[in-house]
Amino acid sequence: MNALVFLGILFGPLVFVVSYLFTAATGPSVPPWADAVGAAVRLYGTAVAVIVGPAALHLDRIALARRSNWIPSPLYYLIAVPFLSIPISFIYLVRRLTSA
């Protein structure tokens, strides 16, 4: 299965729950269960980011090496670092689009 499809399956329910909680929190009264559900959503999102994120990066690197003549360097994994992610992902996308 493609890693992006897998991430979409995992984050799809999270998006629906967060959008519902946002709607409920901006209404006249916040339901009493919203705090517990919000904590569960944060835990779910953190677990998915910590577990699935590195696996998706690795599988993408392997798939790219199979499809093109370019193998990303191990510095590619620095995309997971918050403040480095923007410049590294920009460089990576430019290189990916030009090598494919």
Coordinates of all heavy atoms in Angstrom, one line a residue:
M1 N 0.8 -1.2 0.0 CA 0.0 0.0 0.0 C 0.9 1.2 0.0 O 1.9 1.3 0.7 CB -0.9 0.0 1.2 CG -1.8 1.2 1.3 SD -2.8 1.3 2.8 CE -3.7 -0.1 2.8
N2 N 0.5 2.2 -0.7 CA 1.2 3.5 -0.8 C 1.2 4.1 0.6 O 0.2 4.1 1.3 CB 0.6 4.4 -1.8 CG 1.4 5.6 -2.1 OD1 2.3 6.0 -1.3 ND2 1.1 6.3 -3.2
A3 N 2.3 4.7 1.0 CA 2.4 5.3 2.3 C 1.4 6.5 2.5 O 0.9 6.7 3.6 CB 3.8 5.8 2.6
L4 N 1.2 7.3 1.4 CA 0.3 8.4 1.5 C -1.1 8.0 1.7 O -1.9 8.6 2.4 CB 0.5 9.3 0.3 CG 1.8 10.0 0.1 CD1 1.9 10.8 -1.1 CD2 2.1 10.9 1.3
V5 N -1.5 6.9 1.0 CA -2.8 6.3 1.2 C -3.0 5.9 2.6 O -4.1 6.1 3.3 CB -3.1 5.2 0.2 CG1 -4.4 4.5 0.5 CG2 -3.0 5.7 -1.2
F6 N -2.0 5.2 3.2 CA -2.1 4.7 4.6 C -2.2 5.9 5.5 O -3.0 5.9 6.4 CB -0.8 3.9 4.9 CG -0.8 3.3 6.2 CD1 -1.7 2.3 6.5 CD2 0.1 3.7 7.2 CE1 -1.7 1.7 7.7 CE2 0.1 3.1 8.4 CZ -0.8 2.1 8.7
L7 N -1.5 7.0 5.3 CA -1.6 8.2 6.2 C -3.0 8.8 6.0 O -3.5 9.3 7.0 CB -0.5 9.2 5.8 CG 0.9 8.9 6.3 CD1 1.9 9.9 5.8 CD2 0.9 8.8 7.8
G8 N -3.5 8.8 4.8 CA -4.8 9.4 4.6 C -5.9 8.6 5.4 O -6.8 9.1 5.9
I9 N -5.7 7.2 5.4 CA -6.7 6.4 6.1 C -6.6 6.7 7.6 O -7.6 6.7 8.3 CB -6.4 4.9 5.8 CG1 -6.8 4.6 4.3 CG2 -7.2 4.0 6.7 CD1 -6.3 3.3 3.9
L10 N -5.4 6.9 8.1 CA -5.2 7.2 9.5 C -5.7 8.5 9.9 O -6.3 8.7 11.0 CB -3.8 7.0 9.9 CG -3.3 5.5 9.9 CD1 -1.8 5.5 10.2 CD2 -4.0 4.7 10.9
F11 N -5.4 9.5 9.1 CA -5.8 10.9 9.4 C -7.2 11.3 9.1 O -7.7 12.3 9.5 CB -4.8 11.9 8.8 CG -3.5 12.0 9.6 CD1 -2.3 11.5 9.0 CD2 -3.5 12.5 10.8 CE1 -1.1 11.6 9.7 CE2 -2.3 12.6 11.6 CZ -1.1 12.2 11.0
G12 N -7.8 10.5 8.2 CA -9.2 10.9 7.8 C -10.2 11.0 9.0 O -10.8 12.0 9.2
P13 N -10.2 9.9 9.9 CA -11.1 10.1 11.0 C -10.7 11.2 11.9 O -11.6 11.9 12.5 CB -11.0 8.7 11.7 CG -10.5 7.8 10.7 CD -9.7 8.6 9.7
L14 N -9.4 11.4 12.0 CA -8.9 12.5 12.9 C -9.5 13.9 12.4 O -9.9 14.7 13.2 CB -7.4 12.5 12.9 CG -6.7 13.5 13.8 CD1 -7.0 13.3 15.3 CD2 -5.2 13.5 13.6
V15 N -9.5 14.1 11.1 CA -10.0 15.4 10.6 C -11.4 15.5 10.9 O -11.9 16.6 11.3 CB -9.7 15.4 9.0 CG1 -10.4 16.6 8.4 CG2 -8.2 15.5 8.8
F16 N -12.2 14.5 10.7 CA -13.7 14.6 11.0 C -13.9 14.9 12.5 O -14.7 15.7 12.8 CB -14.4 13.3 10.6 CG -14.6 13.2 9.2 CD1 -14.1 12.1 8.5 CD2 -15.2 14.1 8.4 CE1 -14.2 11.9 7.1 CE2 -15.4 14.0 7.1 CZ -14.9 12.9 6.4
V17 N -13.2 14.3 13.4 CA -13.4 14.5 14.8 C -13.0 15.9 15.2 O -13.7 16.6 15.9 CB -12.6 13.4 15.6 CG1 -12.6 13.8 17.1 CG2 -13.2 12.1 15.5
V18 N -11.8 16.4 14.7 CA -11.4 17.7 15.0 C -12.4 18.8 14.4 O -12.7 19.7 15.1 CB -10.0 18.0 14.4 CG1 -9.6 19.4 14.5 CG2 -9.0 17.1 15.2
S19 N -12.9 18.5 13.2 CA -13.8 19.5 12.7 C -15.1 19.5 13.5 O -15.7 20.6 13.8 CB -14.1 19.2 11.2 OG -14.8 18.0 11.1
Y20 N -15.5 18.4 14.0 CA -16.7 18.3 14.8 C -16.5 19.0 16.2 O -17.3 19.8 16.6 CB -17.2 16.9 15.1 CG -18.4 16.8 16.0 CD1 -19.6 17.2 15.6 CD2 -18.2 16.5 17.3 CE1 -20.7 17.2 16.4 CE2 -19.3 16.4 18.2 CZ -20.5 16.8 17.7 OH -21.6 16.8 18.6
L21 N -15.3 18.8 16.7 CA -15.0 19.4 18.0 C -14.9 20.9 17.9 O -15.3 21.7 18.8 CB -13.7 18.9 18.6 CG -13.8 17.5 19.2 CD1 -12.4 17.0 19.7 CD2 -14.8 17.4 20.3
F22 N -14.4 21.4 16.8 CA -14.3 22.8 16.5 C -15.7 23.4 16.4 O -16.0 24.5 17.0 CB -13.5 23.1 15.3 CG -13.4 24.6 15.0 CD1 -12.6 25.4 15.7 CD2 -14.2 25.2 14.0 CE1 -12.5 26.8 15.4 CE2 -14.1 26.5 13.7 CZ -13.3 27.3 14.4
T23 N -16.6 22.7 15.7 CA -18.0 23.2 15.6 C -18.7 23.2 17.0 O -19.4 24.1 17.3 CB -18.8 22.3 14.6 OG1 -18.1 22.3 13.4 CG2 -20.2 22.8 14.4
A24 N -18.4 22.1 17.8 CA -19.1 22.0 19.1 C -18.5 23.1 20.0 O -19.3 23.6 20.9 CB -18.9 20.6 19.7
A25 N -17.2 23.4 19.9 CA -16.6 24.3 20.9 C -17.0 25.7 20.6 O -17.0 26.6 21.4 CB -15.1 24.2 20.8
T26 N -17.4 26.0 19.3 CA -17.8 27.4 19.0 C -19.3 27.6 19.2 O -19.8 28.7 18.9 CB -17.4 27.7 17.6 OG1 -18.0 26.8 16.7 CG2 -15.9 27.7 17.4
G27 N -20.1 26.5 19.5 CA -21.5 26.7 19.7 C -21.8 27.3 21.1 O -21.0 27.7 21.8
P28 N -23.1 27.3 21.4 CA -23.5 27.9 22.7 C -23.0 27.2 23.9 O -22.7 27.9 24.9 CB -25.0 27.9 22.6 CG -25.4 26.9 21.6 CD -24.2 26.8 20.7
S29 N -22.9 25.9 23.9 CA -22.3 25.2 25.0 C -21.4 24.1 24.6 O -21.7 23.4 23.6 CB -23.5 24.6 25.9 OG -24.2 23.7 25.1
V30 N -20.3 23.9 25.3 CA -19.4 22.8 24.9 C -19.8 21.6 25.6 O -20.1 21.6 26.8 CB -18.0 23.2 25.4 CG1 -17.0 22.1 25.1 CG2 -17.5 24.5 24.7
P31 N -20.0 20.4 24.9 CA -20.4 19.2 25.5 C -19.3 18.8 26.6 O -18.1 19.0 26.4 CB -20.4 18.2 24.4 CG -20.2 18.9 23.1 CD -19.8 20.3 23.5
P32 N -19.8 18.1 27.6 CA -18.8 17.7 28.7 C -17.8 16.6 28.2 O -16.7 16.5 28.8 CB -19.7 17.1 29.8 CG -21.0 16.8 29.1 CD -21.1 17.7 27.9
W33 N -18.1 15.9 27.2 CA -17.2 14.9 26.7 C -16.2 15.4 25.7 O -15.2 14.7 25.4 CB -18.0 13.7 26.0 CG -19.0 14.2 25.0 CD1 -20.3 14.5 25.2 CD2 -18.7 14.6 23.6 NE1 -20.8 15.0 24.0 CE2 -19.9 15.0 23.1 CE3 -17.5 14.6 22.8 CZ2 -20.0 15.5 21.8 CZ3 -17.6 15.0 21.5 CH2 -18.8 15.4 21.0
A34 N -16.3 16.7 25.4 CA -15.4 17.2 24.3 C -13.9 17.3 24.8 O -13.0 17.1 24.0 CB -15.8 18.6 23.9
D35 N -13.7 17.5 26.1 CA -12.3 17.5 26.6 C -11.7 16.2 26.5 O -10.5 16.1 26.1 CB -12.3 18.0 28.1 CG -11.0 18.4 28.6 OD1 -10.1 18.8 27.8 OD2 -10.7 18.2 29.8
A36 N -12.4 15.1 26.9 CA -11.8 13.8 26.8 C -11.6 13.4 25.4 O -10.5 12.8 25.1 CB -12.8 12.8 27.5
V37 N -12.5 13.7 24.5 CA -12.3 13.4 23.1 C -11.1 14.2 22.5 O -10.3 13.6 21.7 CB -13.6 13.6 22.3 CG1 -13.3 13.5 20.8 CG2 -14.6 12.7 22.7
G38 N -11.0 15.4 22.9 CA -9.8 16.2 22.5 C -8.5 15.6 22.9 O -7.5 15.6 22.1
A39 N -8.4 15.1 24.1 CA -7.2 14.5 24.6 C -6.9 13.2 23.8 O -5.8 12.9 23.5 CB -7.3 14.2 26.1
A40 N -8.0 12.5 23.5 CA -7.8 11.2 22.7 C -7.3 11.6 21.3 O -6.4 10.9 20.8 CB -9.1 10.4 22.7
V41 N -7.8 12.6 20.7 CA -7.4 13.0 19.4 C -5.9 13.5 19.4 O -5.1 13.1 18.5 CB -8.3 14.2 18.9 CG1 -7.7 14.8 17.6 CG2 -9.7 13.6 18.5
R42 N -5.5 14.2 20.4 CA -4.1 14.6 20.5 C -3.2 13.4 20.7 O -2.1 13.3 20.1 CB -3.9 15.6 21.7 CG -4.4 17.0 21.4 CD -4.0 17.9 22.5 NE -4.4 17.6 23.8 CZ -5.6 17.9 24.3 NH1 -6.4 18.6 23.6 NH2 -5.9 17.5 25.5
L43 N -3.6 12.4 21.5 CA -2.8 11.2 21.7 C -2.8 10.4 20.4 O -1.7 9.9 20.0 CB -3.4 10.3 22.8 CG -2.7 9.0 23.1 CD1 -1.3 9.3 23.6 CD2 -3.5 8.2 24.0
Y44 N -3.9 10.3 19.7 CA -3.9 9.6 18.4 C -3.0 10.2 17.4 O -2.2 9.6 16.7 CB -5.4 9.5 17.9 CG -5.6 8.9 16.6 CD1 -5.5 7.5 16.4 CD2 -6.0 9.6 15.5 CE1 -5.7 6.9 15.2 CE2 -6.3 9.0 14.3 CZ -6.1 7.7 14.2 OH -6.4 7.1 12.9
G45 N -3.1 11.5 17.3 CA -2.3 12.3 16.3 C -0.8 12.2 16.6 O 0.0 12.0 15.7
T46 N -0.5 12.2 17.9 CA 0.9 12.1 18.3 C 1.5 10.7 18.0 O 2.6 10.6 17.5 CB 1.1 12.4 19.8 OG1 0.6 13.8 20.0 CG2 2.5 12.4 20.2
A47 N 0.7 9.7 18.3 CA 1.1 8.3 18.0 C 1.3 8.1 16.5 O 2.3 7.5 16.1 CB 0.1 7.4 18.6
V48 N 0.4 8.6 15.7 CA 0.5 8.4 14.3 C 1.7 9.1 13.8 O 2.4 8.6 12.9 CB -0.8 8.9 13.6 CG1 -0.6 9.0 12.1 CG2 -2.0 7.9 13.9
A49 N 1.9 10.3 14.3 CA 3.1 11.1 13.8 C 4.4 10.5 14.2 O 5.3 10.4 13.4 CB 3.0 12.5 14.3
V50 N 4.5 9.9 15.4 CA 5.7 9.3 15.8 C 6.0 7.9 15.2 O 7.1 7.6 14.9 CB 5.7 9.2 17.4 CG1 6.8 8.4 17.9 CG2 5.8 10.6 18.0
I51 N 4.9 7.2 15.0 CA 5.1 5.8 14.5 C 5.0 5.7 13.0 O 5.9 5.2 12.4 CB 4.0 4.9 15.1 CG1 4.2 4.8 16.6 CG2 4.0 3.5 14.5 CD1 3.1 4.1 17.4
V52 N 4.0 6.3 12.4 CA 3.8 6.2 11.0 C 4.7 7.2 10.2 O 5.2 6.8 9.1 CB 2.3 6.4 10.6 CG1 2.1 6.4 9.1 CG2 1.5 5.3 11.3
G53 N 5.0 8.3 10.7 CA 5.8 9.3 10.0 C 7.1 8.8 9.5 O 7.4 8.9 8.3
P54 N 8.0 8.3 10.4 CA 9.3 7.8 10.0 C 9.2 6.6 9.0 O 9.9 6.5 8.1 CB 10.0 7.4 11.3 CG 9.3 8.2 12.4 CD 7.9 8.4 11.9
A55 N 8.2 5.8 9.2 CA 8.0 4.7 8.3 C 7.6 5.1 6.9 O 8.1 4.6 5.9 CB 7.0 3.7 8.9
A56 N 6.7 6.1 6.9 CA 6.3 6.7 5.6 C 7.5 7.4 4.9 O 7.7 7.2 3.6 CB 5.2 7.7 5.8
L57 N 8.3 8.1 5.6 CA 9.5 8.7 5.0 C 10.5 7.6 4.4 O 11.0 7.8 3.3 CB 10.3 9.5 6.1 CG 9.7 10.9 6.4 CD1 10.5 11.5 7.6 CD2 9.7 11.8 5.3
H58 N 10.7 6.6 5.2 CA 11.6 5.5 4.7 C 11.0 4.8 3.5 O 11.7 4.6 2.5 CB 11.8 4.5 5.9 CG 12.8 3.5 5.5 ND1 14.1 3.7 5.3 CD2 12.6 2.1 5.3 CE1 14.7 2.6 5.0 NE2 13.8 1.6 5.0
L59 N 9.7 4.5 3.5 CA 9.1 3.8 2.4 C 9.1 4.7 1.1 O 9.3 4.2 0.0 CB 7.7 3.4 2.7 CG 7.6 2.2 3.7 CD1 6.1 2.0 4.1 CD2 8.3 1.0 3.2
D60 N 8.9 6.0 1.3 CA 9.0 6.9 0.2 C 10.4 7.0 -0.4 O 10.6 7.0 -1.6 CB 8.5 8.3 0.6 CG 8.5 9.3 -0.5 OD1 7.8 8.9 -1.5 OD2 9.1 10.3 -0.4
R61 N 11.4 7.0 0.5 CA 12.8 7.0 0.0 C 13.1 5.7 -0.8 O 13.7 5.8 -1.9 CB 13.7 7.1 1.2 CG 15.2 7.2 0.8 CD 16.0 7.5 2.0 NE 17.4 7.7 1.6 CZ 18.4 6.9 2.0 NH1 18.1 5.8 2.7 NH2 19.6 7.1 1.5
I62 N 12.6 4.6 -0.3 CA 12.9 3.3 -1.0 C 12.1 3.3 -2.4 O 12.7 2.9 -3.4 CB 12.5 2.1 -0.1 CG1 13.4 2.0 1.0 CG2 12.4 0.8 -1.0 CD1 13.0 1.0 2.0
A63 N 10.9 3.7 -2.4 CA 10.1 3.8 -3.6 C 10.7 4.7 -4.6 O 10.7 4.4 -5.8 CB 8.6 4.2 -3.3
L64 N 11.2 5.8 -4.2 CA 11.8 6.8 -5.1 C 13.1 6.2 -5.7 O 13.4 6.4 -6.9 CB 12.1 8.1 -4.4 CG 12.7 9.2 -5.3 CD1 11.7 9.6 -6.3 CD2 13.0 10.4 -4.4
A65 N 13.9 5.5 -4.9 CA 15.1 4.9 -5.4 C 14.8 3.8 -6.5 O 15.5 3.6 -7.4 CB 15.9 4.3 -4.3
R66 N 13.6 3.1 -6.3 CA 13.3 2.1 -7.3 C 12.8 2.7 -8.6 O 13.0 2.2 -9.7 CB 12.2 1.2 -6.7 CG 12.6 0.3 -5.7 CD 11.5 -0.6 -5.3 NE 11.9 -1.4 -4.1 CZ 11.1 -1.8 -3.2 NH1 9.8 -1.5 -3.2 NH2 11.5 -2.5 -2.1
R67 N 12.1 3.8 -8.5 CA 11.4 4.4 -9.7 C 12.3 5.3 -10.5 O 12.1 5.6 -11.7 CB 10.2 5.2 -9.3 CG 9.0 4.4 -8.9 CD 7.8 5.3 -8.8 NE 8.0 6.4 -8.0 CZ 7.5 6.6 -6.8 NH1 6.6 5.7 -6.3 NH2 7.7 7.7 -6.1
S68 N 13.3 5.9 -9.9 CA 14.2 6.9 -10.6 C 15.6 6.5 -10.4 O 16.0 5.6 -9.8 CB 13.9 8.3 -10.1 OG 14.4 8.5 -8.8
N69 N 16.5 7.4 -11.1 CA 17.9 7.1 -11.0 C 18.5 7.9 -9.8 O 19.7 8.1 -9.7 CB 18.6 7.5 -12.3 CG 18.3 9.0 -12.6 OD1 17.5 9.7 -11.9 ND2 18.9 9.4 -13.7
W70 N 17.7 8.4 -8.9 CA 18.2 9.2 -7.8 C 17.8 8.6 -6.5 O 16.7 8.2 -6.2 CB 17.6 10.7 -7.8 CG 17.9 11.5 -6.7 CD1 19.1 11.9 -6.2 CD2 17.0 12.1 -5.8 NE1 19.0 12.6 -5.1 CE2 17.7 12.8 -4.8 CE3 15.6 12.1 -5.7 CZ2 17.1 13.5 -3.8 CZ3 15.0 12.9 -4.7 CH2 15.8 13.6 -3.8
I71 N 18.8 8.4 -5.6 CA 18.6 7.9 -4.3 C 18.8 9.0 -3.3 O 19.9 9.6 -3.2 CB 19.5 6.7 -3.9 CG1 19.3 5.6 -4.9 CG2 19.3 6.3 -2.5 CD1 20.3 4.5 -4.8
P72 N 17.8 9.5 -2.6 CA 17.9 10.6 -1.6 C 19.0 10.2 -0.6 O 19.0 9.1 -0.1 CB 16.6 10.8 -1.0 CG 15.6 10.1 -2.0 CD 16.4 9.0 -2.6
S73 N 19.7 11.2 -0.2 CA 20.7 11.0 0.9 C 20.1 10.8 2.2 O 18.9 11.1 2.4 CB 21.7 12.2 0.9 OG 21.1 13.2 1.6
P74 N 20.8 10.2 3.2 CA 20.2 10.1 4.5 C 19.8 11.4 5.2 O 19.0 11.4 6.1 CB 21.3 9.4 5.3 CG 22.1 8.7 4.3 CD 22.0 9.5 3.1
L75 N 20.3 12.5 4.7 CA 19.8 13.8 5.2 C 18.4 14.1 4.9 O 17.8 15.0 5.5 CB 20.7 14.9 4.5 CG 22.2 15.0 4.9 CD1 22.9 16.0 4.1 CD2 22.3 15.2 6.4
Y76 N 17.8 13.3 4.0 CA 16.4 13.4 3.7 C 15.5 13.2 5.0 O 14.5 13.8 5.1 CB 16.0 12.3 2.6 CG 14.6 12.0 2.5 CD1 13.7 12.9 2.0 CD2 14.1 10.8 2.9 CE1 12.4 12.6 1.8 CE2 12.8 10.4 2.7 CZ 11.9 11.4 2.2 OH 10.6 11.1 2.0
Y77 N 16.0 12.4 5.9 CA 15.2 12.1 7.1 C 15.1 13.4 8.0 O 14.3 13.4 8.9 CB 15.8 11.0 7.9 CG 15.7 9.7 7.1 CD1 16.9 9.0 6.7 CD2 14.5 9.1 6.9 CE1 16.8 7.8 6.0 CE2 14.4 7.9 6.2 CZ 15.5 7.3 5.8 OH 15.4 6.1 5.1
L78 N 15.9 14.4 7.7 CA 15.8 15.6 8.5 C 14.5 16.4 8.2 O 14.2 17.4 8.9 CB 17.0 16.5 8.2 CG 18.3 16.0 8.8 CD1 19.4 17.0 8.4 CD2 18.3 15.9 10.3
I79 N 13.7 15.9 7.2 CA 12.4 16.5 7.0 C 11.5 16.4 8.2 O 10.6 17.2 8.5 CB 11.7 15.8 5.8 CG1 12.4 16.2 4.5 CG2 10.2 16.0 5.8 CD1 11.8 15.6 3.3
A80 N 11.8 15.4 9.1 CA 11.0 15.2 10.3 C 11.3 16.2 11.4 O 10.5 16.4 12.3 CB 11.2 13.8 10.8
V81 N 12.4 16.9 11.3 CA 12.7 18.0 12.3 C 11.9 19.2 12.0 O 11.9 19.7 10.8 CB 14.2 18.3 12.2 CG1 14.6 19.4 13.2 CG2 15.0 17.0 12.5
P82 N 11.2 19.7 13.0 CA 10.2 20.8 12.7 C 10.7 22.0 11.9 O 10.2 22.4 10.9 CB 9.7 21.2 14.1 CG 9.9 19.9 14.9 CD 11.1 19.3 14.3
F83 N 11.8 22.7 12.3 CA 12.2 23.9 11.7 C 13.0 23.7 10.4 O 13.1 24.5 9.6 CB 12.9 24.8 12.7 CG 12.0 25.3 13.7 CD1 12.2 24.9 15.0 CD2 11.0 26.2 13.4 CE1 11.3 25.4 16.0 CE2 10.2 26.7 14.4 CZ 10.3 26.3 15.7
L84 N 13.5 22.5 10.3 CA 14.3 22.1 9.1 C 13.4 21.6 8.0 O 13.8 21.5 6.8 CB 15.4 21.1 9.4 CG 16.5 21.6 10.2 CD1 17.4 20.4 10.5 CD2 17.3 22.7 9.6
S85 N 12.1 21.2 8.3 CA 11.3 20.6 7.4 C 10.9 21.4 6.1 O 10.9 20.9 5.0 CB 10.0 20.1 8.1 OG 9.3 21.2 8.5
I86 N 10.8 22.7 6.3 CA 10.3 23.5 5.2 C 11.5 23.7 4.1 O 11.2 23.4 3.0 CB 9.9 24.9 5.7 CG1 8.6 24.7 6.5 CG2 9.6 25.8 4.5 CD1 8.1 26.0 7.2
P87 N 12.7 24.1 4.5 CA 13.7 24.2 3.4 C 14.1 22.8 2.9 O 14.3 22.7 1.7 CB 14.9 24.9 4.1 CG 14.7 24.7 5.6 CD 13.2 24.6 5.8
I88 N 14.2 21.8 3.7 CA 14.6 20.5 3.2 C 13.5 19.9 2.3 O 13.8 19.3 1.3 CB 14.9 19.5 4.4 CG1 16.2 20.0 5.0 CG2 15.1 18.1 3.9 CD1 16.6 19.2 6.2
S89 N 12.2 20.1 2.7 CA 11.2 19.5 1.8 C 11.1 20.3 0.5 O 10.8 19.7 -0.6 CB 9.8 19.5 2.5 OG 9.5 20.9 2.8
F90 N 11.4 21.6 0.5 CA 11.4 22.3 -0.8 C 12.5 21.8 -1.7 O 12.3 21.5 -2.9 CB 11.6 23.8 -0.5 CG 11.7 24.6 -1.7 CD1 10.5 24.9 -2.5 CD2 12.9 25.1 -2.2 CE1 10.6 25.6 -3.6 CE2 13.0 25.9 -3.3 CZ 11.8 26.2 -4.1
I91 N 13.7 21.6 -1.1 CA 14.9 21.1 -1.9 C 14.6 19.7 -2.4 O 14.8 19.4 -3.6 CB 16.2 21.2 -1.1 CG1 16.6 22.6 -0.8 CG2 17.3 20.4 -1.7 CD1 17.6 22.7 0.3
Y92 N 14.0 18.9 -1.5 CA 13.7 17.5 -1.9 C 12.6 17.5 -3.0 O 12.8 16.7 -3.9 CB 13.2 16.8 -0.6 CG 12.5 15.5 -0.9 CD1 13.3 14.4 -1.3 CD2 11.1 15.3 -0.8 CE1 12.7 13.2 -1.6 CE2 10.5 14.1 -1.1 CZ 11.3 13.1 -1.5 OH 10.7 11.9 -1.8
L93 N 11.6 18.3 -2.9 CA 10.6 18.3 -3.9 C 11.1 18.7 -5.3 O 10.7 18.2 -6.3 CB 9.4 19.1 -3.5 CG 8.5 18.5 -2.5 CD1 7.4 19.4 -2.0 CD2 7.8 17.2 -3.0
V94 N 11.9 19.8 -5.3 CA 12.5 20.2 -6.5 C 13.4 19.1 -7.2 O 13.3 18.8 -8.3 CB 13.3 21.5 -6.3 CG1 14.2 21.8 -7.5 CG2 12.4 22.7 -6.0
R95 N 14.2 18.5 -6.3 CA 15.0 17.4 -6.8 C 14.2 16.2 -7.3 O 14.5 15.6 -8.3 CB 16.0 17.0 -5.7 CG 16.9 15.9 -6.1 CD 18.0 16.4 -7.1 NE 18.6 15.3 -7.7 CZ 19.9 14.9 -7.4 NH1 20.6 15.6 -6.5 NH2 20.4 13.9 -7.9
R96 N 13.2 15.9 -6.5 CA 12.3 14.8 -6.9 C 11.6 15.0 -8.2 O 11.5 14.1 -9.1 CB 11.3 14.5 -5.8 CG 10.5 13.3 -6.1 CD 9.5 13.1 -4.9 NE 8.7 11.9 -5.2 CZ 8.1 11.2 -4.3 NH1 8.3 11.5 -3.1 NH2 7.4 10.2 -4.7
L97 N 11.1 16.2 -8.4 CA 10.4 16.5 -9.7 C 11.3 16.5 -10.9 O 10.9 16.2 -12.0 CB 9.6 17.8 -9.5 CG 8.4 17.7 -8.5 CD1 7.8 19.1 -8.4 CD2 7.4 16.7 -9.0
T98 N 12.5 16.9 -10.7 CA 13.5 17.0 -11.8 C 14.1 15.7 -12.1 O 14.6 15.5 -13.2 CB 14.5 18.1 -11.5 OG1 15.2 17.7 -10.3 CG2 14.0 19.5 -11.4
S99 N 14.1 14.7 -11.1 CA 14.8 13.5 -11.4 C 13.8 12.4 -11.9 O 14.3 11.4 -12.4 CB 15.4 12.9 -10.1 OG 14.5 12.5 -9.2
A100 N 12.5 12.6 -11.7 CA 11.6 11.5 -12.1 C 11.3 11.5 -13.6 O 11.8 12.1 -14.4 CB 10.3 11.7 -11.4

